[in-house]
């Protein structure tokens, strides 16, 4: 009888076959933590989508500004010369 451990579906709430793929990939990647694999994959996905879609990048930047409580400010530059 072969015993197969089931992936921790509840932790990340991934459906099959993705949950099993993650477990197997982590094991193949010398026991890499799931958290690191997911973080690396998510970072690559976000960076790729933002680079490919300028409108998404604008909405992303706006959402970040709102989350951080930043507002756009107009700054008037002067050259210091008197007219």
């Amino acid at each position: 009888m072969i015993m197969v451990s089931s992936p921790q579906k509840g932790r990340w709430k991934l459906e099959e076959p993705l949950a099993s793929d993650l477990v197997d990939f982590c094991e193949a990647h010398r026991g890499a933590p799931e958290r690191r694999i997911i973080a690396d994959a998510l970072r690559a996905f976000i960076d790729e989508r933002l680079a490919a879609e300028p409108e998404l990048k604008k909405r992303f930047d706006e959402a970040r500004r709102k989350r951080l409580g930043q507002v756009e400010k107009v700054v008037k530059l002067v050259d210091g010369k008197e007219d």
Side-chain angles (χ1 to χ4, degrees), residues 3 8 31 38 46 50-51 58 61 65:
M3 299 293 288
Q8 298 176 358
I38 290 171
I46 290 172
L50 293 178
K58 287 179 187 176
D61 290 341
R65 276 193 294 277

Side-chain angles (χ1 to χ4, degrees), residues 14 19 22 28 36 66 82:
L14 299 174
L22 177 60
R36 190 178 88 214
K66 285 180 182 178
E82 292 189 29

Side-chain angles (χ1 to χ4, degrees), residues 20-40:
S20 294
D21 288 350
L22 177 60
V23 170
D24 297 341
F25 186 82
C26 288
E27 180 62 29
H29 209 284
R30 301 181 190 265
E34 290 178 355
R35 181 177 177 174
R36 190 178 88 214
I37 298 300
I38 290 171
D40 289 351

Side-chain angles (χ1 to χ4, degrees), residues 62 65 70-74:
E62 179 60 25
R65 276 193 294 277
Q70 299 172 346
V71 294
E72 286 191 32
K73 296 180 180 177
V74 177

